[in-house]
Amino acid sequence: MRKTYLNPKYEALRQYVEGIPEIMESQGTYIYGGRRNLIKLFEAPDGTKLNVKRFKKPSLINNIIYSTGIRKPKGERAFKYPQILLQKGIETPEAVAYIEIRNALGLLQDCYFISIQCAYAHLLYEVGNAEEGTYEPLAQALAGLAASAAIAVSDIPFNGPISEVRVARVDGEFVINPNFEQLEKADMELMVGATYDNIMMVEGEMDEVSEVELLEALKTAHEAIKKQCIAQQELAEAVGSTVKREYCHEVNDEDLRKDVHEKCYDKAYAVAKAGCADKHWRNDSFAAICDEYIESLPEEERDEKTALVKRYYHDVEKEAVRRCILDEGIRLDGRKTTDIRPIWCEVDYIPGPHGSAVFTRGETQSLSTVTLGTKLDEKILDEVLCQGKERFLLHYNFPPFSTGEARPVRGVGRREIGHGNLAHRALKRMFPEGFPYTCRIVSDILESNGSSSMATVCAGTLALLDAGVQMKKPVSGIAMGLITDTASSKYAVLSDILGDEDHLGDMDFKVTGTRDGITATQMDIKVDGLSYEILEKALQQARDG
């Protein structure tokens, strides 16, 4: 028989929701939530508003109803970029990952500055019976599909739909959205997000697989995603949501845009071509060009046009950097597209821990330490769908001074979670089986200009070896970038990207592995997809680097 596991915190809410499906289907659903209470306000089709009783302490979430909410940004200044936030009620590493956010972010209409929030709650989870041959996939694999479907049936302008699947290789065969039992046997696990035409994001871990095997897994996942995209299109047609809302675009001054380009492009191109490795000099030089133009404006127009000038100049700077790479093969710091920045590293850097190492690549530096403990130091996992203990831990710290900023040090953000999780997945499969101690790696980023997570992988490997941990094989990592020109189908794959190349480029593709194969990968795309030809070249160039 099938067993049902329900989080008791959602029991009252689930019973209520199941009892009023006609209200859930009505338009105009508003949700208000907080850490200590949740109030739902439904508007029925006849206009009657129903106040529902307060549910105490839903501590894991703020909003826990399947819905699409639209909120205009507060204050006079609108958001610079549209944001898609997926709030989740499950405290697991997979749930904290932001793959769903990055999948859909690049597909919103240009100049659409209304913040979009897609919230879902994990109310119910069913586990199949092995004897009957029925299995239920892990719920996290359905998050991207649910979010995209919610936007598809709304009137929000969207260049989707998108979807995502988890693909694993079990006994040599690829399985889409496997369950727990299958994942335990898998030697490859990937989360893939894509549109019908192109892959948008990849994240996963594997046991030293080849580039060809990784591409096969991506193609298998993409075929499954295509079916889900077609289903969403049919759903949108069925509910009559094919016509999207019209919205006011941002105000522009085309004459000013043209003037900024004519007077600033050559100067920005000269800075991009200078090939200076000092990022502070580059930033100051680019900023001086913009400031010089603003100073040339009539004083009575300066305040009014400053914001537009800065926006148009950013486009000019971006174009200059990209054209310099595409046309002349010269990167911001003077390297060629395949060159790696100078590397310096040293082990036993701190006397206190069992192992330590500092790894520096260009202007990115990680100081990693390894501490060994007893079985009592194991991390206890007590999550909704996962219980157990973890004896190999990795923590990633990104202090403000690493980028020259002075800001408050608050709780762990998505950057620390995502980068630390990637480094952990890259190293854990090379951690020796049967190792008698609990092992904790702490990576402190002392300086950052691109790929601090990959520096963590390299420094972590050195620190483990310094601590006497007999790893199966050493692991290293590299971040790849991409510059494309859609008009001419021209592109350039960049090895060991800088922070500016990540910001102004079209791809951030991190690959870690041993000399025999890939152990983990993470990729997000900032344009409309990525062809397999470019992906294959990026993987081969990463291996060479």
Side-chain angles (χ1 to χ4, degrees), residues 59-85:
S59 58
L60 296 181
I61 52 175
N62 290 330
N63 303 318
I64 60 175
I65 305 294
Y66 296 91
S67 67
T68 299
I70 301 175
R71 175 180 61 84
K72 291 184 178 181
K74 296 181 180 180
E76 298 179 357
R77 184 178 180 183
F79 284 95
K80 185 176 181 181
Y81 299 103
Q83 298 178 7
I84 295 181
L85 304 177

mmCIF file of all heavy atoms in Angstrom, residues 59-85:
data_model
loop_
_atom_site.group_PDB
_atom_site.id
_atom_site.type_symbol
_atom_site.label_atom_id
_atom_site.label_comp_id
_atom_site.label_asym_id
_atom_site.label_seq_id
_atom_site.Cartn_x
_atom_site.Cartn_y
_atom_site.Cartn_z
ATOM 1 N N SER A 59 6.569 28.081 10.808
ATOM 2 C CA SER A 59 7.912 28.643 10.974
ATOM 3 C C SER A 59 8.794 28.490 9.749
ATOM 4 O O SER A 59 9.805 29.165 9.656
ATOM 5 C CB SER A 59 8.602 27.958 12.161
ATOM 6 O OG SER A 59 8.661 26.565 11.952
ATOM 7 N N LEU A 60 8.431 27.614 8.821
ATOM 8 C CA LEU A 60 9.345 27.375 7.722
ATOM 9 C C LEU A 60 9.145 28.306 6.540
ATOM 10 O O LEU A 60 9.999 28.382 5.668
ATOM 11 C CB LEU A 60 9.197 25.928 7.222
ATOM 12 C CG LEU A 60 9.567 24.841 8.216
ATOM 13 C CD1 LEU A 60 9.396 23.486 7.578
ATOM 14 C CD2 LEU A 60 10.984 25.019 8.697
ATOM 15 N N ILE A 61 8.028 29.035 6.494
ATOM 16 C CA ILE A 61 7.738 29.801 5.291
ATOM 17 C C ILE A 61 7.073 31.109 5.612
ATOM 18 O O ILE A 61 6.620 31.349 6.719
ATOM 19 C CB ILE A 61 6.812 29.013 4.348
ATOM 20 C CG1 ILE A 61 5.584 28.531 5.126
ATOM 21 C CG2 ILE A 61 7.500 27.873 3.719
ATOM 22 C CD1 ILE A 61 4.577 27.855 4.274
ATOM 23 N N ASN A 62 6.981 31.972 4.609
ATOM 24 C CA ASN A 62 6.214 33.196 4.705
ATOM 25 C C ASN A 62 4.888 33.048 3.970
ATOM 26 O O ASN A 62 3.836 33.417 4.458
ATOM 27 C CB ASN A 62 6.995 34.373 4.119
ATOM 28 C CG ASN A 62 8.171 34.745 4.989
ATOM 29 O OD1 ASN A 62 8.111 34.566 6.202
ATOM 30 N ND2 ASN A 62 9.235 35.247 4.393
ATOM 31 N N ASN A 63 4.935 32.524 2.774
ATOM 32 C CA ASN A 63 3.726 32.315 1.990
ATOM 33 C C ASN A 63 3.666 30.856 1.572
ATOM 34 O O ASN A 63 4.617 30.350 1.017
ATOM 35 C CB ASN A 63 3.728 33.194 0.729
ATOM 36 C CG ASN A 63 3.876 34.651 1.071
ATOM 37 O OD1 ASN A 63 3.256 35.107 2.017
ATOM 38 N ND2 ASN A 63 4.697 35.365 0.318
ATOM 39 N N ILE A 64 2.545 30.183 1.817
ATOM 40 C CA ILE A 64 2.535 28.750 1.551
ATOM 41 C C ILE A 64 1.328 28.312 0.740
ATOM 42 O O ILE A 64 0.858 27.187 0.884
ATOM 43 C CB ILE A 64 2.603 27.932 2.863
ATOM 44 C CG1 ILE A 64 1.403 28.248 3.745
ATOM 45 C CG2 ILE A 64 3.867 28.197 3.610
ATOM 46 C CD1 ILE A 64 1.350 27.398 4.982
ATOM 47 N N ILE A 65 0.826 29.160 -0.111
ATOM 48 C CA ILE A 65 -0.248 28.765 -1.016
ATOM 49 C C ILE A 65 0.297 28.791 -2.434
ATOM 50 O O ILE A 65 1.067 29.653 -2.794
ATOM 51 C CB ILE A 65 -1.442 29.744 -0.932
ATOM 52 C CG1 ILE A 65 -1.922 29.869 0.500
ATOM 53 C CG2 ILE A 65 -2.585 29.295 -1.817
ATOM 54 C CD1 ILE A 65 -2.502 28.622 1.061
ATOM 55 N N TYR A 66 -0.090 27.827 -3.262
ATOM 56 C CA TYR A 66 0.291 27.861 -4.658
ATOM 57 C C TYR A 66 -0.349 29.092 -5.298
ATOM 58 O O TYR A 66 -1.572 29.190 -5.358
ATOM 59 C CB TYR A 66 -0.208 26.613 -5.383
ATOM 60 C CG TYR A 66 0.395 25.340 -4.886
ATOM 61 C CD1 TYR A 66 -0.201 24.606 -3.880
ATOM 62 C CD2 TYR A 66 1.581 24.863 -5.419
ATOM 63 C CE1 TYR A 66 0.363 23.434 -3.417
ATOM 64 C CE2 TYR A 66 2.152 23.701 -4.968
ATOM 65 C CZ TYR A 66 1.537 22.985 -3.971
ATOM 66 O OH TYR A 66 2.089 21.831 -3.526
ATOM 67 N N SER A 67 0.439 30.016 -5.768
ATOM 68 C CA SER A 67 -0.137 31.230 -6.327
ATOM 69 C C SER A 67 0.895 31.981 -7.120
ATOM 70 O O SER A 67 2.080 31.684 -7.083
ATOM 71 C CB SER A 67 -0.681 32.134 -5.225
ATOM 72 O OG SER A 67 0.376 32.625 -4.453
ATOM 73 N N THR A 68 0.445 32.962 -7.837
ATOM 74 C CA THR A 68 1.311 33.920 -8.495
ATOM 75 C C THR A 68 0.911 35.284 -8.001
ATOM 76 O O THR A 68 -0.227 35.697 -8.171
ATOM 77 C CB THR A 68 1.158 33.858 -10.022
ATOM 78 O OG1 THR A 68 1.513 32.561 -10.455
ATOM 79 C CG2 THR A 68 2.071 34.879 -10.688
ATOM 80 N N GLY A 69 1.834 36.002 -7.380
ATOM 81 C CA GLY A 69 1.538 37.333 -6.870
ATOM 82 C C GLY A 69 2.365 38.363 -7.595
ATOM 83 O O GLY A 69 3.496 38.109 -7.971
ATOM 84 N N ILE A 70 1.818 39.539 -7.776
ATOM 85 C CA ILE A 70 2.516 40.622 -8.444
ATOM 86 C C ILE A 70 2.609 41.785 -7.487
ATOM 87 O O ILE A 70 1.610 42.190 -6.907
ATOM 88 C CB ILE A 70 1.790 41.048 -9.728
ATOM 89 C CG1 ILE A 70 1.685 39.859 -10.686
ATOM 90 C CG2 ILE A 70 2.504 42.210 -10.390
ATOM 91 C CD1 ILE A 70 0.882 40.161 -11.903
ATOM 92 N N ARG A 71 3.794 42.324 -7.308
ATOM 93 C CA ARG A 71 3.996 43.415 -6.367
ATOM 94 C C ARG A 71 4.876 44.472 -7.013
ATOM 95 O O ARG A 71 5.964 44.193 -7.504
ATOM 96 C CB ARG A 71 4.676 42.911 -5.090
ATOM 97 C CG ARG A 71 5.030 44.016 -4.098
ATOM 98 C CD ARG A 71 5.692 43.396 -2.878
ATOM 99 N NE ARG A 71 6.916 42.704 -3.242
ATOM 100 C CZ ARG A 71 8.083 43.315 -3.377
ATOM 101 N NH1 ARG A 71 8.170 44.611 -3.218
ATOM 102 N NH2 ARG A 71 9.162 42.621 -3.691
ATOM 103 N N LYS A 72 4.400 45.697 -7.032
ATOM 104 C CA LYS A 72 5.213 46.771 -7.555
ATOM 105 C C LYS A 72 6.264 47.162 -6.517
ATOM 106 O O LYS A 72 5.987 47.165 -5.328
ATOM 107 C CB LYS A 72 4.346 47.978 -7.902
ATOM 108 C CG LYS A 72 3.428 47.748 -9.091
ATOM 109 C CD LYS A 72 2.685 49.017 -9.440
ATOM 110 C CE LYS A 72 1.803 48.792 -10.656
ATOM 111 N NZ LYS A 72 1.073 50.016 -11.035
ATOM 112 N N PRO A 73 7.452 47.501 -6.953
ATOM 113 C CA PRO A 73 8.494 47.881 -5.989
ATOM 114 C C PRO A 73 8.130 49.156 -5.253
ATOM 115 O O PRO A 73 7.573 50.095 -5.827
ATOM 116 C CB PRO A 73 9.730 48.089 -6.870
ATOM 117 C CG PRO A 73 9.178 48.336 -8.228
ATOM 118 C CD PRO A 73 7.921 47.549 -8.331
ATOM 119 N N LYS A 74 8.462 49.195 -3.976
ATOM 120 C CA LYS A 74 8.174 50.364 -3.164
ATOM 121 C C LYS A 74 9.204 51.464 -3.415
ATOM 122 O O LYS A 74 10.318 51.208 -3.834
ATOM 123 C CB LYS A 74 8.170 49.988 -1.680
ATOM 124 C CG LYS A 74 7.070 48.998 -1.306
ATOM 125 C CD LYS A 74 7.111 48.702 0.180
ATOM 126 C CE LYS A 74 6.014 47.711 0.569
ATOM 127 N NZ LYS A 74 6.042 47.416 2.015
ATOM 128 N N GLY A 75 8.820 52.692 -3.096
ATOM 129 C CA GLY A 75 9.735 53.800 -3.238
ATOM 130 C C GLY A 75 9.757 54.366 -4.639
ATOM 131 O O GLY A 75 9.101 53.885 -5.562
ATOM 132 N N GLU A 76 10.547 55.377 -4.826
ATOM 133 C CA GLU A 76 10.610 56.063 -6.113
ATOM 134 C C GLU A 76 11.455 55.297 -7.130
ATOM 135 O O GLU A 76 11.228 55.391 -8.321
ATOM 136 C CB GLU A 76 11.192 57.463 -5.918
ATOM 137 C CG GLU A 76 10.359 58.357 -5.016
ATOM 138 C CD GLU A 76 10.992 59.716 -4.844
ATOM 139 O OE1 GLU A 76 12.098 59.925 -5.377
ATOM 140 O OE2 GLU A 76 10.368 60.551 -4.186
ATOM 141 N N ARG A 77 12.404 54.539 -6.652
ATOM 142 C CA ARG A 77 13.326 53.859 -7.550
ATOM 143 C C ARG A 77 12.866 52.429 -7.806
ATOM 144 O O ARG A 77 12.678 51.654 -6.875
ATOM 145 C CB ARG A 77 14.720 53.856 -6.958
ATOM 146 C CG ARG A 77 15.770 53.237 -7.882
ATOM 147 C CD ARG A 77 17.141 53.325 -7.236
ATOM 148 N NE ARG A 77 18.165 52.744 -8.091
ATOM 149 C CZ ARG A 77 19.433 52.650 -7.742
ATOM 150 N NH1 ARG A 77 19.832 53.094 -6.561
ATOM 151 N NH2 ARG A 77 20.316 52.111 -8.564
ATOM 152 N N ALA A 78 12.685 52.088 -9.059
ATOM 153 C CA ALA A 78 12.245 50.737 -9.400
ATOM 154 C C ALA A 78 13.426 49.784 -9.349
ATOM 155 O O ALA A 78 14.586 50.184 -9.327
ATOM 156 C CB ALA A 78 11.623 50.723 -10.793
ATOM 157 N N PHE A 79 13.131 48.503 -9.336
ATOM 158 C CA PHE A 79 14.183 47.504 -9.356
ATOM 159 C C PHE A 79 14.977 47.622 -10.657
ATOM 160 O O PHE A 79 14.417 47.814 -11.725
ATOM 161 C CB PHE A 79 13.587 46.090 -9.268
ATOM 162 C CG PHE A 79 13.130 45.737 -7.889
ATOM 163 C CD1 PHE A 79 11.812 45.911 -7.522
ATOM 164 C CD2 PHE A 79 14.015 45.240 -6.959
ATOM 165 C CE1 PHE A 79 11.385 45.586 -6.257
ATOM 166 C CE2 PHE A 79 13.598 44.909 -5.691
ATOM 167 C CZ PHE A 79 12.276 45.080 -5.344
ATOM 168 N N LYS A 80 16.278 47.490 -10.556
ATOM 169 C CA LYS A 80 17.100 47.579 -11.754
ATOM 170 C C LYS A 80 16.860 46.374 -12.655
ATOM 171 O O LYS A 80 16.859 46.473 -13.869
ATOM 172 C CB LYS A 80 18.569 47.671 -11.367
ATOM 173 C CG LYS A 80 19.494 47.886 -12.557
ATOM 174 C CD LYS A 80 20.924 48.070 -12.093
ATOM 175 C CE LYS A 80 21.846 48.300 -13.284
ATOM 176 N NZ LYS A 80 23.251 48.453 -12.873
ATOM 177 N N TYR A 81 16.674 45.229 -12.049
ATOM 178 C CA TYR A 81 16.402 44.033 -12.827
ATOM 179 C C TYR A 81 15.143 43.362 -12.281
ATOM 180 O O TYR A 81 14.903 43.364 -11.088
ATOM 181 C CB TYR A 81 17.566 43.033 -12.732
ATOM 182 C CG TYR A 81 18.860 43.566 -13.243
ATOM 183 C CD1 TYR A 81 19.863 43.980 -12.369
ATOM 184 C CD2 TYR A 81 19.088 43.679 -14.595
ATOM 185 C CE1 TYR A 81 21.058 44.473 -12.834
ATOM 186 C CE2 TYR A 81 20.285 44.179 -15.078
ATOM 187 C CZ TYR A 81 21.266 44.576 -14.190
ATOM 188 O OH TYR A 81 22.447 45.064 -14.646
ATOM 189 N N PRO A 82 14.366 42.722 -13.144
ATOM 190 C CA PRO A 82 13.235 41.939 -12.637
ATOM 191 C C PRO A 82 13.752 40.794 -11.780
ATOM 192 O O PRO A 82 14.819 40.256 -12.015
ATOM 193 C CB PRO A 82 12.569 41.416 -13.922
ATOM 194 C CG PRO A 82 13.107 42.274 -15.018
ATOM 195 C CD PRO A 82 14.464 42.710 -14.584
ATOM 196 N N GLN A 83 12.977 40.452 -10.781
ATOM 197 C CA GLN A 83 13.388 39.374 -9.883
ATOM 198 C C GLN A 83 12.294 38.321 -9.830
ATOM 199 O O GLN A 83 11.114 38.635 -9.787
ATOM 200 C CB GLN A 83 13.636 39.901 -8.469
ATOM 201 C CG GLN A 83 14.748 40.926 -8.399
ATOM 202 C CD GLN A 83 14.914 41.450 -6.998
ATOM 203 O OE1 GLN A 83 14.283 40.958 -6.073
ATOM 204 N NE2 GLN A 83 15.744 42.433 -6.834
ATOM 205 N N ILE A 84 12.690 37.090 -9.837
ATOM 206 C CA ILE A 84 11.763 35.986 -9.629
ATOM 207 C C ILE A 84 12.200 35.274 -8.362
ATOM 208 O O ILE A 84 13.321 34.796 -8.280
ATOM 209 C CB ILE A 84 11.760 35.014 -10.812
ATOM 210 C CG1 ILE A 84 11.214 35.731 -12.046
ATOM 211 C CG2 ILE A 84 10.930 33.785 -10.505
ATOM 212 C CD1 ILE A 84 11.141 34.854 -13.251
ATOM 213 N N LEU A 85 11.342 35.275 -7.364
ATOM 214 C CA LEU A 85 11.698 34.698 -6.075
ATOM 215 C C LEU A 85 10.838 33.467 -5.842
ATOM 216 O O LEU A 85 9.625 33.512 -5.942
ATOM 217 C CB LEU A 85 11.456 35.720 -4.954
ATOM 218 C CG LEU A 85 12.173 37.061 -5.124
ATOM 219 C CD1 LEU A 85 11.797 37.992 -3.998
ATOM 220 C CD2 LEU A 85 13.666 36.860 -5.173
#
